[in-house]
Structure formats: structure tokens, C-alpha cells
Amino acid sequence: MNRTLISALAATTCIVALASPAEAQTRQYNIPAGSLKSALDAYVDQSGRQVVYRADEVRGARSVGIKGAATADAALAAILAGSGFTTRADGSLIAIVQVPQAVQIASGTTPEGSGRDPETSSSEIVVTGTIIRGEVPVGSPLITYSRDDIDRSGFATLGEFIQTLPQNSRQGANGSALFNAAQGGKPGSAAAAEDFGQGVNLRGLGNGATLVLVNGTRLPPSSGGQYVDISMIPVSAIERIELLTGGASATYGSDAVAGVLNVILRSDYKGGETRLRYGGAEGGADEIQIAQSLGTGWDSGGLMVSYEFFDKKPLLASDRPSLINFPTAGTSRGGDPQIIPSNKRHSAFASITQEVGSAAALSARVFFGDRSFDRLDGGAGTQFGLSRTQGNSQQISGSLGVNYNINSQWQLAVDGTWSQSKMDYLTSFTNGIVTRPAVDVNGTDNLVTIDARVDGPVFAITGGDVKLAVGAQYRDEGFERITNNPSDPSRDLAREVTSLFGEIFIPLVGKSNARRGLRRLALSIASRYEDYSDFGSAFTPKFGVEWEPAKNFILRGSYSEAFRAPTLNQRFTGQNLAFVSDAGFGPGLNPPTLAGTNSVSVFGNDPNVGPETSESWTMGFDWTPNDLTLSVTYFDIQYENRIAAGLGPTGFDYVDAADRFSDRFVNLNPTAFEVAAATGQPTVLNFAFDPNAPIGVILDYRLTNTAASRNTGIDLNSEYRFGLVGGQASATFNLVYTINDEFRSIATSRNNQFVDTIFETPDLVMNGRFTWSGKHVSGFGGFYYTDSYVNDLVTPNQKVSSWFTVDAGLTYQTGDNSSSSALDNLKLSLTVSNLFNELPPFVRAPTLNPNTLSFRFDGANANPLGRFVALALTKAW
């Protein structure tokens, strides 16, 4: 009987991982006969390879085991012989899948190592980037990180781990408050994080241009910045994360411009696991993490619950005096400002799965996160003194899904999810020359999603089965914000989204018609149509192709269109403001025709704002000879209609160059109707010397679809595995080389190149890691490197040095001695991040106002923590 998917969404239990290539070395194996699950777990420990399987599928299956010398491939084949399971691989992706009843697998079959084999396996796996079971995203690069990878990083939160990936930028929501203090970032790339959470910002295109999923499910954004706060997700509940770079709106809809991060939570776990962790940096930022997971299973289902507590103390400005320019008054104005605020979080996760008969399966999942934050900020200088922000952020999500096998090949999946993100905070101001009232903010985002999808093979061609998936989705999005700030009025907004989507996989050349130089050729086409109740619709296609000219070598490419819908907050015009002043303000800036007139500057949102759009190209190859995995990808993302203000903060400067702008931004000859529209905003402030003077110019600062950018570069990801000193070793090396990071504020303005400039994207970012694992002891060493760049905000320009840090870790585990001892299955880990305590390179501030606190480092490209030491104790029960 084919096992069914049991997750909330098709992707919620897709089990696939970055596996090691086939081991050529012969080693001793001692895996007794018994359950297939136990045999596979023992194989992972003894081989050092990372093969992944669906625990609910292998439940009840038996293995004859293996004892003696064998290669890794031969040992795996022996374990699977007669079990009803085989392997399925594509490049570096390997999974254990069921064998169709019609296919007879001879005992001792060895895994191929690469290439799909649709004639000999029937996988129900769904991988991020596709909605077709049993296939991987054709032509698109997919990177997978396991829970062990996150543990070895030494970080306690998913956000901190993501910030170490070369593909990700620290701009925007990065867990600190640097960008709240307006520390750099081109428009759209660095949204403020009012609640000091952590987001994902692939390619530096902004937190909103990366789609974040949990078990394939979309989450509501944080009210504090319209980004998904991944710091809420408990690391103890994570099975793995899958990172898809490139546009994916044809599969997932809005926001998947730069890529997709899919966090897969543990759904089938038997036993218990307790985790204690303590870490800290020099002077502060101490962390405590306590986690407990419990799971049980039965023949037709399973239950798992997980809880995690995390407490992080602040990193104070006085802890890093070389990185801070203190106000003249210093701490005498009432406190020690924080670089990184304090955070305290409680997270809980529960999932249950249950098969119903032979054709259906039910699943349910509940997630809850509650995080409090407290930050003292001295950036306001002596005018407003010190500000303190105290608040709370919550996230809750529940889902229910059913998967039904229509027949032996086609499956229907229906899923429903309700989720909510809430935030409230109070910012007070003390010890300032100017008295300012406290700001009180409450925000709520709601999201209801209903999905239905059916997929299976349509017909067979010589290359294999042509597979099709089609589906529909309904979303109800709501956003409410309540404030006491007149310039940020309260609002309650909602919209509905309906979607139709489909994908087809066409294996033009497969095993049965392969020939020299053409082992495999596959094509995929996907498309999605989304209709929004508040602004219109969007249609996005995607095309992918893969060609395998030789064994273990795949050439691939993809073209995709993507979009990002404006947030509900960006559609809101109730806070729009008209500011009237003298047009002659700033002698010499304006033409004589403006003499004696006033100007109107309009701020807020354009009521006609629509979706941002993009086109993405990727080309690359995957090479997996023996123990090496090497993937190289060229990417090109052209991102247009980006939501930004056409005029910068000094709009009067543009009046002299009005010929560069349309009347949309600088209107030197406004009609009476246009003046009435400009001054008809909800709030009008008139500071002109002569309030009744005629309006000579209208300057439009409202957010609208005006900006464009282009990002090109090369990704390289590699891994080499080999035996060493009685254990297994691996060496990984990853880099991103950015060729272009161009941005223009409006279509008629010139391109600005942001590569190798402060607060933006260095041309070269890379990391590497060496890991060795023995029976009881394992260790690693790694590095992170950011290339040098230019601080072009000062004159003369300053060269900012490169930044190189080293990490190291050591783990001892007792293993299972079957003695029921408290010391069984105990793991003690020591990790040191930034071993040599390399502080961020010095950055000269554009102005050193003695009354303003400012940072002397680039928070988008370096971490101010310094050396961070963590000790973790894990006990499996």
C-alpha cells in the first residue's frame, strides 16, 4: 500500500535533504536485522551520509541489515533489499522512497547517484520549488541545511544562522536596531523592525522580496515592519531548512522575488529530547536556551510536541566603545544605549498525523510564539534625550490537512491554515530638551489560507511519465494598527486573494531512450494567476530545463517572472500628509518663476500603488563525482515597479533638474485641480510665510511604483566527503560573487551601482567549514569572509577593510549503550563563533554630531558581538 502524505500542506512533510555523494571507500558495518527505520538510523551513524526518509512510510517495514565490509552504496542497497523501498536521487538530493508494486527490484541494487528514474520509483516527496510529488525544481538551485548544520553554527536562533549565509543580507530586520537608526540601505531594502525581530533578505532586495514558509505554509508578516519574523521559530523543532534562490511566484504567488525559505519542522519523532544551552559574548549578550521535545507513534500515525524558552540579554554601547560615537552628554542623560536589545521568547509546537483507512491521511499542526523586547536608544541625542521601547510580539498558527489517494497514482490534498501575528509596544522619551509624548502602538496581522491541489501522471512518453499538478488557493488577509500618534493614524484593512496554479513536468529523455551525450533531458512549466480584491491581478510563468550529458553532471537553467503585492499598509492613504511651505526656500535652488509662490510636498502612499514585478534568469551546473558535490549558478534578477519615493529626502534639490522627472514628481505648472488634489490630504500643515500665496510647485514624495534594480552574480556551493582517522570528514565551501547591484529611484534617472559600497552588497562573501565525526567525538572549524568595499558617504572616500572570522566547535556524545543509563544518548557541545574576536571594520561616519549617537561600523555586513562562546547539553530519551 502506498503511504500518503500526512502533512498540513504538500510540502509540510516533504522529506529530502542535501545528501553526501556515494562513498567509494569500503568500511565495516554492523546493522542488525529489524525495523527499517532503525537500520536507516544506524546506517547514517556508521556511514556518515545524510539520507532522509518519511518515518510514517517506513513504519512497519523490515530490513535484513548488514554486517561486514561494504561501500556506502552497497550497504544501503543491502539494507533496502526486500524492504519494498529504494532510493531516489537528483544530483545531491537523495531520499528513501517506496517501490511501486508493479516494479520488481532485485536484491542488491545499487543507487545510481544522480538522475531521476521514474520507471523504478514512485516517490511521494514534494520539494520546495515544485508542487509535483516525486520531482525536484527543474533548473532551479535548491540548498538544504539540516538541524545539525544549525546546531554546529553555535547560534540559538534561525535568524542568526540565516545571517551567516552568503546569499542573505543583514539589511533590514536583523534582530538589532541598526536600521531603525537609519543605518543605510537603498529604498525597499531595509525596512524598520519596530519589534526587533529577524527576517530573511536574499540578495539584499528587501525582507518583503523573500517568501518565508513553514512546512510549506505562508505566515502573516510582523506588524512591526511587514516582514516574517523567523526568530519566533524554535530551533529545537526544526528538521531542516530548504533555500530556493530565484523567482518562484509561479509556484507560491506574491513575495517570491529573490527566493523562498521553507522551514520544515519535525513531524514524526519518537522519544524525548532535552536541550540546555548557555552562551555569551565579551561584556554582554548572554543567552539561555531550554528546550524539550516529546514524540510518540503508532502504526497509523504519530504525535509530537516541542517547547523552547530563549532569553537574550542586551549588548550595550559601553560594551563596544570603539564601535560607537557617544553623544557629548554620554550616559549622563539617563542610560547606556543598546546595540542589540534584550529578547525573551517562549515557543511551542505540536503536530499529529493519522491515517484513515488505506487511502486518506489527516494532519494537524499548531505553533505559538511569544517574544518580549526591551531597548534603550540614545540616537535621539539631546533634543529628545533617550528613548526606551518595551513591547511584546506574538505569532500563532494552526493548520488542518487531508490527503486522499484517488487511485494508485493521483492524489488530492486539501489544507486550511489560520495564523495571526500581533505586536504591541510603548516608546517613551526621557531627559530631552524637547518634551515628546510616549508612542503607543498595537498591530495585528491575520491570514486565512485554503489550498486544494491534485497531481499525478498524465501519460507516458519515451522519456518517462509526464506529470501534472493543478490547484487553487484562497487567502483572506487582514491588518489592523492602533496608535496614539497623529502622524500614524489607526487603520483596519483587509483584502481577499484567489489563485489558480499549475505545473507540468516533461521528461523528454530518460532511462529508456538515453543515448551518448544525452542521458536525461527534462522540462518543467509552471504558472499562477492571482486576483486581489484591492488592486488587480498578476500572472507569473516559470520555465525550467535540465540536461544530463554525462553521469553525475547536470546542466540546468530557468526563467521566471515574479511579483510582490503591495502590503495592506502600503495601500493605506489615511496617513497622507501635505506640507505647504515657501517655494523660494533655499535661495538659488528654484527658477525665478517660483518667486512669491508656495510649494506643496505630499507624503504617504499613492492610492494607485500596484505590484512590484521581476524577471529572473539562472544558469548553472551540478557535478557530483564520487565524494564531491559542486554546484555553480549564475543569477540575473531584474526587479521593476519597486515601491519607493520618487524624490529623495531633499526634494527641493530636484526642482532645478525637473526635466529629469515627470510631472508626477515635480510639477512646476500645477492646475487648480492638481493643487486641490495635493492639498486635499487627511492632514495639511501650512508653514508658509504667506499661507495664501499661489502654489507654484508640487513635490510628490508618496510611495509608488517608481524604482527599479538589477542584481547579477554567481553562487558556488561545494562539499567533499571522505574517510579520515577512523571517522568521516567533510569540507564545504560556499561563495556569492555579486557582479551588479544596480538601483534607480525612477525610470528616467541614472543607475546607481551599489556593489562594494557601505551598507550594501560587497562583491565577494564566502564561508567554509571542515567537519570530522567519529563514534563519540566530532568537531568542526569554519570561516566567514566579507570582502573590502568603499565608504562613499564621506569625502575623501574611505576603504572599509575586509572582515574574516573563524568558528570552531567540539562535541562528545555517549551513544546508546542499551543500559538505560542517564548517560546514554548524551551530547555535550562547545562552540565558539568568531574565535579570534574580530570586531567589525571601522567605518567613518559622514558627520560626527556631538549630540547624536552613531555607529562606527556597518551593521549590514558585520556583527558587533565579537567572540561568542556557547555550551549545549542534549539528552535523548
Side-chain angles (χ1 to χ4, degrees):
M1 177 187 71
N2 287 335
R3 297 286 184 181
T4 58
L5 284 175
I6 58 173
S7 60
L9 289 171
T12 60
T13 54
C14 58
I15 305 297
V16 69
L18 186 62
S20 60
E23 295 284 353
Q25 297 98 341
T26 298
R27 59 180 55 85
Q28 292 293 323
Y29 290 89
N30 185 8
I31 302 175
S35 74
L36 179 58
K37 183 180 185 301
S38 297
L40 290 171
D41 291 342
Y43 172 78
V44 170
D45 291 336
Q46 296 180 28
S47 69
R49 302 177 76 187
Q50 188 181 5
V51 294
V52 188
Y53 56 88
R54 281 278 306 274
D56 64 310
E57 285 188 343
V58 304
R59 186 182 295 117
R62 307 290 294 177
S63 170
V64 297
I66 181 174
K67 186 173 183 179
T71 65
D73 280 343
L76 182 57
I79 291 170
L80 297 176
S83 68
F85 288 81
T86 186
T87 59
R88 187 178 185 85
D90 191 299
S92 60
L93 297 176
I94 295 179
I96 306 301
V97 299
Q98 278 189 310
V99 178
Q101 295 179 356
V103 178
Q104 301 299 318
I105 303 297
S107 178
T109 301
T110 301
E112 181 94 7
S114 74
R116 297 179 178 83
D117 192 0
E119 298 173 329
T120 59
S121 65
S122 177
S123 171
E124 300 212 9
I125 293 166
V126 179
V127 178
T128 302
T130 180
I131 56 174
I132 296 180
R133 292 171 298 136
E135 302 300 332
V136 298
V138 175
S140 298
L142 181 68
I143 307 172
T144 303
Y145 297 95
S146 69
R147 183 163 173 255
D148 286 341
D149 293 326
I150 300 174
D151 287 341
R152 282 194 296 264
S153 72
F155 295 117
T157 69
L158 176 60
E160 292 171 331
F161 175 77
I162 293 297
Q163 288 171 12
T164 66
L165 304 183
Q167 293 85 0
N168 187 72
S169 169
R170 287 176 55 86
Q171 291 177 349
N174 60 16
S176 70
L178 299 182
F179 280 92
N180 289 20
Q183 194 190 33
K186 53 184 175 288
S189 66
E194 293 175 289
D195 55 357
F196 309 112
Q198 296 171 323
V200 186
N201 188 358
L202 295 178
R203 310 297 187 202
L205 293 179
N207 296 127
T210 299
L211 178 63
V212 176
L213 306 173
V214 174
N215 284 356
T217 302
R218 182 185 292 262
L219 292 177
S222 167
S223 298
Q226 301 295 286
Y227 71 99
V228 175
D229 184 4
I230 62 175
S231 71
M232 288 287 198
I233 302 172
V235 171
S236 57
I238 295 176
E239 176 74 28
R240 71 190 181 280
I241 59 174
E242 295 175 346
L243 186 67
L244 180 78
T245 56
S249 288
T251 303
Y252 299 109
S254 176
D255 305 337
V257 174
V260 178
L261 175 73
N262 192 10
V263 182
I264 311 298
L265 302 179
R266 302 163 80 179
S267 62
D268 192 286
Y269 177 75
K270 190 173 183 180
E273 182 184 83
T274 304
R275 177 182 173 90
L276 305 173
R277 177 185 178 276
Y278 175 80
E282 181 180 345
D286 291 0
E287 295 178 352
I288 297 176
Q289 183 185 38
I290 303 172
Q292 178 66 56
S293 297
L294 297 170
T296 186
W298 49 93
D299 288 343
S300 58
L303 169 68
M304 178 190 168
V305 294
S306 180
Y307 166 79
E308 182 175 295
F309 169 77
F310 175 70
D311 186 6
K312 186 182 185 70
K313 303 303 181 184
L315 182 70
L316 304 178
S318 60
D319 296 329
R320 299 291 181 269
S322 64
L323 302 179
I324 306 297
N325 172 54
F326 287 94
T328 301
T331 58
S332 65
R333 299 205 63 83
D336 191 355
Q338 299 168 1
I339 301 176
I340 298 177
S342 63
N343 274 283
K344 184 179 294 185
R345 169 175 54 83
H346 298 269
S347 297
F349 168 74
S351 68
I352 185 170
T353 60
Q354 178 63 54
E355 293 182 359
V356 182
S358 61
L362 300 175
S363 67
R365 175 178 61 87
V366 177
F367 165 73
F368 174 77
D370 182 281
R371 181 174 56 83
S372 59
F373 50 88
D374 187 350
R375 190 200 185 229
L376 186 68
D377 184 5
T382 59
Q383 184 179 11
F384 296 116
L386 295 165
S387 66
R388 183 176 186 180
T389 300
Q390 297 172 291
N392 178 267
S393 184
Q394 288 186 352
Q395 195 171 90
I396 184 170
S397 176
S399 65
L400 180 66
V402 57
N403 296 279
Y404 177 74
N405 284 345
I406 300 172
N407 53 37
S408 61
Q409 295 181 312
W410 282 81
Q411 185 182 89
L412 170 67
V414 180
D415 307 281
T417 302
W418 173 86
S419 53
Q420 183 181 80
S421 175
K422 299 183 71 175
M423 176 205 67
D424 64 88
Y425 70 84
L426 180 71
T427 300
S428 56
F429 303 87
T430 58
N431 297 346
I433 297 174
V434 178
T435 301
R436 182 176 178 181
V439 176
D440 190 2
V441 177
N442 290 268
T444 302
D445 282 271
N446 290 302
L447 177 63
V448 175
T449 303
I450 300 174
D451 273 290
R453 188 196 71 248
V454 62
D455 75 308
V458 183
F459 53 85
I461 58 177
T462 54
D465 287 339
V466 174
K467 297 181 180 180
L468 175 70
V470 294
Q473 182 184 84
Y474 168 81
R475 297 201 308 270
D476 188 310
E477 303 175 358
F479 171 66
E480 182 182 26
R481 185 177 178 91
I482 302 173
T483 77
N484 66 342
N485 186 354
S487 64
D488 183 19
S490 299
R491 66 212 71 165
D492 189 356
L493 311 168
R495 68 182 173 202
E496 296 180 340
V497 186
T498 54
S499 306
L500 297 174
F501 53 88
E503 183 179 352
I504 188 169
F505 169 75
I506 307 172
L508 299 174
V509 178
K511 185 176 181 180
S512 62
N513 63 340
R515 60 185 69 97
R516 186 179 182 89
L518 190 59
R519 291 172 53 88
R520 182 169 62 89
L521 181 64
L523 174 69
S524 74
I525 303 173
S527 63
R528 186 179 182 109
Y529 172 81
E530 290 204 339
D531 183 74
Y532 287 74
S533 62
D534 61 337
F535 70 83
S537 60
F539 175 79
T540 50
K542 181 175 182 178
F543 305 90
V545 62
E546 286 185 353
W547 167 36
E548 186 178 5
K551 183 178 180 180
N552 300 324
F553 184 74
I554 296 174
L555 295 170
R556 51 178 166 75
S558 68
Y559 167 79
S560 61
E561 296 179 9
F563 77 101
R564 174 184 172 271
T567 66
L568 286 169
N569 199 41
Q570 289 172 332
R571 294 279 301 167
F572 176 63
T573 59
Q575 86 281 25
N576 282 16
L577 167 70
F579 183 87
V580 181
S581 64
D582 299 276
F585 179 81
L589 293 179
N590 304 316
T593 55
L594 294 180
T597 67
N598 287 338
S599 68
V600 177
S601 299
V602 184
F603 301 88
N605 296 324
D606 186 333
N608 298 313
V609 67
E612 302 176 335
T613 60
S614 75
E615 293 184 357
S616 299
W617 296 85
T618 68
M619 295 179 290
F621 68 85
D622 301 314
W623 186 39
T624 58
N626 296 324
D627 303 312
L628 175 68
T629 299
L630 176 64
S631 296
V632 177
T633 303
Y634 169 80
F635 63 88
D636 186 336
I637 304 174
Q638 300 182 53
Y639 194 5
E640 299 181 339
N641 300 311
R642 298 188 65 175
I643 299 173
L647 298 182
T650 55
F652 282 106
D653 296 343
Y654 291 106
V655 177
D656 280 338
D659 57 320
R660 289 173 45 202
F661 300 86
S662 68
D663 288 346
R664 165 66 179 80
F665 302 107
V666 179
N667 188 348
L668 290 172
N669 298 289
T671 65
F673 177 80
E674 291 169 333
V675 170
T679 56
Q681 306 304 319
T683 302
V684 179
L685 302 176
N686 194 327
F687 292 97
F689 290 116
D690 182 3
N692 298 316
I695 302 299
V697 60
I698 297 175
L699 302 176
D700 198 335
Y701 293 85
R702 289 177 299 176
L703 296 179
T704 188
N705 301 100
T706 178
S709 63
R710 185 187 181 196
N711 294 68
T712 64
I714 297 172
D715 284 348
L716 184 149
N717 299 279
S718 63
E719 181 179 24
Y720 179 65
R721 290 181 175 264
F722 54 97
L724 180 67
V725 195
Q728 293 299 305
S730 69
T732 62
F733 177 72
N734 310 289
L735 69 80
V736 173
Y737 179 74
T738 302
I739 301 171
N740 288 296
D741 182 10
E742 299 175 346
F743 182 87
R744 61 182 186 272
S745 58
I746 62 173
T748 54
S749 66
R750 63 181 178 85
N751 278 328
N752 295 292
Q753 181 61 261
F754 284 93
V755 172
D756 275 344
T757 60
I758 189 169
F759 306 133
E760 298 297 341
T761 306
D763 62 349
L764 181 62
V765 178
M766 57 185 177
N767 65 20
R769 185 168 293 251
F770 174 82
T771 303
W772 180 86
S773 299
K775 184 176 181 180
H776 295 291
V777 179
S778 61
F780 76 89
F783 73 90
Y784 182 87
Y785 174 82
T786 300
D787 204 10
S788 61
Y789 51 92
V790 174
N791 177 6
D792 58 353
L793 300 181
V794 295
T795 303
N797 291 349
Q798 174 206 2
K799 180 180 179 181
V800 180
S801 302
S802 60
W803 193 51
F804 182 86
T805 62
V806 175
D807 306 328
L810 186 65
T811 297
Y812 176 79
Q813 51 188 356
T814 60
D816 186 0
N817 299 315
S818 301
S819 60
S820 300
S821 168
L823 298 179
D824 284 356
N825 298 312
L826 195 66
K827 182 168 68 173
L828 181 65
S829 300
L830 174 68
T831 59
V832 184
S833 303
N834 196 348
L835 178 64
F836 300 111
N837 199 28
E838 292 291 332
L839 291 179
F842 171 77
V843 170
R844 194 165 72 249
T847 60
L848 291 180
N849 186 333
N851 292 326
T852 303
L853 181 142
S854 59
F855 299 99
R856 293 176 173 172
F857 72 99
D858 180 353
N861 293 301
N863 191 327
L865 273 178
R867 183 189 297 113
F868 190 92
V869 181
L871 184 66
L873 179 66
T874 305
K875 165 69 176 176
W877 306 88

Coordinates of all heavy atoms in Angstrom, one line a residue, residues 275-278 289 827-831 870-874:
R275 N 17.2 19.8 25.9 CA 18.3 20.6 25.4 C 18.5 21.8 26.3 O 17.5 22.6 26.6 CB 18.1 21.1 24.0 CG 19.2 22.0 23.4 CD 18.8 22.5 22.0 NE 19.7 23.4 21.5 CZ 20.8 23.1 20.8 NH1 21.1 21.9 20.6 NH2 21.6 24.1 20.3
L276 N 19.7 22.0 26.8 CA 20.1 23.1 27.6 C 21.3 23.8 27.0 O 22.2 23.1 26.6 CB 20.5 22.7 29.1 CG 19.4 21.9 29.8 CD1 20.0 21.4 31.2 CD2 18.2 22.7 30.1
R277 N 21.2 25.1 26.9 CA 22.3 25.9 26.2 C 22.5 27.2 26.9 O 21.6 27.9 27.2 CB 22.0 26.1 24.7 CG 23.0 26.9 23.9 CD 22.5 27.2 22.5 NE 23.4 28.0 21.8 CZ 23.5 29.3 21.8 NH1 22.6 29.9 22.6 NH2 24.4 30.0 21.1
Y278 N 23.8 27.5 27.1 CA 24.1 28.8 27.6 C 25.3 29.4 26.8 O 26.2 28.7 26.4 CB 24.6 28.8 29.1 CG 25.1 30.1 29.6 CD1 24.2 31.1 30.0 CD2 26.4 30.4 29.7 CE1 24.6 32.3 30.5 CE2 26.9 31.6 30.1 CZ 25.9 32.6 30.5 OH 26.4 33.8 31.0
Q289 N 19.0 29.0 26.6 CA 18.0 28.3 25.8 C 17.7 27.0 26.5 O 18.6 26.2 26.9 CB 18.6 28.0 24.4 CG 17.6 27.3 23.5 CD 18.2 27.0 22.1 OE1 19.4 26.7 22.1 NE2 17.5 27.2 21.1
K827 N 24.8 14.3 24.7 CA 25.7 15.0 23.8 C 26.0 16.4 24.4 O 25.2 17.1 24.8 CB 25.0 15.2 22.5 CG 25.9 16.0 21.4 CD 25.3 15.9 20.0 CE 24.0 16.7 19.9 NZ 23.5 16.7 18.5
L828 N 27.3 16.6 24.5 CA 27.8 17.9 25.1 C 28.6 18.6 24.0 O 29.5 18.0 23.4 CB 28.8 17.6 26.3 CG 29.4 18.8 27.0 CD1 28.3 19.7 27.6 CD2 30.4 18.4 28.0
S829 N 28.2 19.9 23.7 CA 28.8 20.6 22.6 C 29.3 21.9 23.1 O 28.7 22.7 23.8 CB 27.8 20.8 21.5 OG 27.3 19.6 21.0
L830 N 30.5 22.3 22.6 CA 31.1 23.6 22.8 C 31.4 24.2 21.5 O 32.1 23.7 20.6 CB 32.4 23.5 23.6 CG 33.2 24.8 23.8 CD1 32.5 25.7 24.7 CD2 34.6 24.5 24.3
T831 N 30.8 25.4 21.3 CA 31.0 26.1 20.0 C 31.5 27.5 20.3 O 31.1 28.2 21.3 CB 29.7 26.2 19.2 OG1 28.7 26.9 19.9 CG2 29.2 24.9 18.8
A870 N 29.4 29.2 23.4 CA 28.2 28.6 23.8 C 28.5 27.2 24.2 O 29.2 26.5 23.5 CB 27.1 28.7 22.7
L871 N 27.8 26.7 25.2 CA 27.9 25.3 25.7 C 26.5 24.7 25.7 O 25.6 25.3 26.3 CB 28.5 25.3 27.1 CG 28.7 23.9 27.7 CD1 29.8 23.2 26.9 CD2 29.1 24.0 29.2
A872 N 26.3 23.6 25.1 CA 25.0 23.0 24.9 C 25.0 21.5 25.4 O 26.0 20.8 25.1 CB 24.5 23.0 23.5
L873 N 24.0 21.1 26.1 CA 23.9 19.8 26.6 C 22.5 19.2 26.1 O 21.5 19.8 26.3 CB 23.9 19.7 28.1 CG 23.7 18.3 28.8 CD1 24.9 17.5 28.5 CD2 23.5 18.5 30.3
T874 N 22.6 18.1 25.4 CA 21.4 17.5 24.8 C 21.3 16.1 25.2 O 22.3 15.3 25.2 CB 21.4 17.5 23.2 OG1 21.6 18.9 22.8 CG2 20.2 17.0 22.7

